[in-house]
Amino acid sequence: MTQAPAAPKAARRRHDREIIALAVPAFGALVAEPLFVLADSAIVGHLGTAQLAGLGVASALLTTAVSIFVFLAYATTGAVARRVGAGDLPAAIRQGMDGIWLALLLGAVVIAVVLPTAPALVDLFGASDTAAPYAITYLRISSLGIPAMLVVLAATGVLRGLQDTKTPLYVAIGGFVANAVLNVALVYGADLGIAGSAWGTVIAQCGMAAVYLFVVIRGARQHGASLRPDAAGIRACAQAGAPLLVRTLSLRAILMIATAVAARLGDSDIAAHQIVLSLWSLLAFALDAIAIAGQAIIGRYLGADDPDGARAVCRRMVQWGIASGVVLGLLVVLARPLFIPLFTSDGAVHDAALPALAVVALAQPICGIVFVLDGVLMGAGDGPYLAKAMIVTLAVFTPVALLVPTFGGGLTALWGAMTLMMAVRMVTLWLRSRSGHWIVTGATR
């Protein structure tokens, strides 16, 4: 990181208050999101094994489709925050509207692709003959809610950029409750089966998008920002998001390769891998909350032409990331004997997961640095560098992971490769933060 004089205690306390005020609600919203799938699984699971298997395949496809466009939130957060820092709220909201319009356009394209190709996509994921019809039904109906899901991403980015993470938390909680109630009513009350679950999710997602649009449109009218689509603005949003799309696809490739390697290790190892990956993902939510705070705060400081403030808050967030990683690592070590039995009583799976979780625990301080610096560079609009860094990481990780079955070590070695992946990310992000090239001030980068 760029060296700077140590911030006085008053400044550190101010930064801490900013980080906590944004990170805590952001964490709540992040945790609420996967509860949608859990609620659907709990409700559909009582219909039968085939229906639950179909939901699993369709949910995996939908999650992949939506997560690819997470740049709608990330790119929008930093861009809006810059304009907030520059004191130009109308331009900030206008920037956010461009992101929302882009989300609607991308959502329409995804629907046009998914509806006719749903059977082929389900078959590609290897759904059984009994599960495939349910997967196709759920996928086709749920795809109608993808534009709303993408609007939620973009609008969440707008509010985060406006330094508001509480509204996304409230909307996420409301959406989860509505989704659960609608699913029960439509699946069992209306006897629609898995189709009822899909419709319940679509309605809940559309309701969340409507709330976000109400909040953003109200802000636009208060500050005199135009709501009309602007071709140049939408194009600029797409260009800013393209590098983050490359970054996300590279990360998804890493996770897919890891799962494919685990599958080659045997049934016990792939089962243990799913347990370890679920915990790793949960830990990522906690660290990503700090990263989200970083996106919003760094963008605001740079927009306000305050590079020293940006450096200071970056340094403080790295300290938060390391401390959070240490705490989470210790919790993993202590909770390992209690966590694994929640998923399995199989001794072979337990034996494979236990040492792998120890590796995950040791890696948490590294993960804390990575997530924070990732958020800092996103907030600075440094997407092209993030894309290149992730491609380098993918190039290092792939051969190491693919050699695990050859050289042995099992799942522990695979998660050692995952830790190497995070270490490579840490080095590339640390070198960038230290160079200072990410510090570009002004309302736009």
Side-chain angles (χ1 to χ4, degrees):
M1 280 178 51
T2 303
Q3 297 298 317
K9 290 184 178 180
R12 288 201 300 270
R13 285 197 295 268
R14 185 179 71 251
H15 295 326
D16 289 345
R17 286 195 297 270
E18 290 177 326
I19 294 168
I20 292 171
L22 292 173
V24 172
F27 174 69
L30 288 170
V31 171
E33 291 172 7
L35 292 179
F36 271 79
V37 177
L38 288 177
D40 288 0
S41 299
I43 294 167
V44 171
H46 291 286
L47 294 174
T49 302
Q51 289 90 332
L52 184 59
L55 173 66
V57 171
S59 294
L61 285 164
L62 286 165
T63 300
T64 299
V66 174
S67 65
I68 286 173
F69 300 111
V70 73
F71 70 84
L72 289 166
Y74 291 162
T76 303
T77 297
V80 171
R82 275 183 175 270
R83 286 162 174 78
V84 170
D88 192 349
L89 283 177
I93 296 174
R94 174 67 262 176
Q95 176 79 34
M97 285 304 306
D98 291 335
I100 290 173
W101 281 112
L102 176 61
L104 288 170
L105 290 173
L106 291 173
V109 172
V110 174
I111 287 179
V113 172
V114 171
L115 283 179
T117 62
L121 291 172
V122 168
D123 183 63
L124 183 65
F125 264 58
S128 67
D129 291 339
T130 54
Y134 298 110
I136 294 169
T137 296
Y138 190 93
L139 181 60
R140 279 181 165 158
I141 296 172
S142 292
S143 68
L144 300 177
I146 287 179
M149 296 180 196
L150 299 188
V151 167
V152 167
L153 284 177
T156 299
V158 176
L159 295 181
R160 288 173 180 170
L162 293 170
Q163 317 296 295
D164 176 10
T165 55
K166 289 183 179 179
T167 300
L169 171 61
Y170 300 148
V171 175
I173 293 173
F176 166 71
V177 173
N179 177 66
V181 172
L182 286 166
N183 268 255
V184 171
L186 295 176
V187 171
Y188 299 114
D191 198 25
L192 294 179
I194 196 169
S197 177
W199 281 117
T201 300
V202 169
I203 295 169
Q205 291 286 357
C206 288
M208 292 171 65
V211 173
Y212 274 121
L213 289 174
F214 171 79
V215 173
V216 174
I217 290 171
R218 183 181 61 184
R221 288 175 174 168
Q222 287 176 347
H223 297 284
S226 174
L227 298 173
R228 295 178 181 178
D230 176 64
I234 295 172
R235 187 164 53 250
C237 281
Q239 290 172 347
L244 295 181
L245 175 61
V246 173
R247 168 200 168 276
T248 300
L249 289 173
S250 299
L251 182 57
R252 296 293 300 183
I254 287 170
L255 296 176
M256 290 176 66
I257 290 169
T259 300
V261 170
R264 291 176 60 189
L265 296 175
D267 290 347
S268 296
D269 287 288
I270 185 61
H273 176 71
Q274 290 304 113
I275 294 173
V276 177
L277 185 61
S278 68
L279 180 60
W280 190 76
S281 300
L282 179 62
L283 297 172
F285 285 134
L287 297 174
D288 202 27
I290 304 174
I292 288 169
Q295 294 171 31
I297 296 171
I298 289 294
R300 194 186 77 233
Y301 272 100
L302 294 177
D305 292 319
D306 187 358
D308 291 337
R311 290 188 186 96
V313 77
C314 173
R315 183 167 54 251
R316 189 58 176 165
M317 280 188 290
V318 169
Q319 294 169 354
W320 269 78
I322 295 172
S324 299
V326 170
V327 171
L328 291 174
L330 290 173
L331 289 175
V332 171
V333 171
L334 295 174
R336 281 187 308 160
L338 303 175
F339 180 76
I340 299 174
L342 295 176
F343 293 86
T344 182
S345 58
D346 189 315
V349 176
H350 181 279
D351 292 342
L354 201 62
L357 283 175
V359 176
V360 170
L362 291 172
Q364 288 311 296
I366 296 174
C367 295
I369 297 172
V370 169
F371 275 81
V372 166
L373 290 180
D374 206 39
V376 166
L377 297 185
M378 283 184 190
D382 205 12
Y385 181 84
L386 290 172
K388 295 173 186 175
M390 190 59 79
I391 291 173
V392 169
T393 302
L394 174 61
V396 173
F397 170 79
T398 301
V400 175
L402 293 178
L403 287 173
V404 167
T406 301
F407 288 97
L411 192 66
T412 303
L414 176 59
W415 276 93
M418 289 287 285
T419 301
L420 172 65
M421 177 270 293
M422 294 302 291
V424 172
R425 290 185 69 189
M426 182 182 70
V427 171
T428 58
L429 296 174
W430 180 80
L431 289 173
R432 184 63 167 182
S433 67
R434 186 175 177 82
S435 73
H437 294 317
W438 58 278
I439 301 176
V440 179
T441 59
T444 58
R445 182 177 174 88

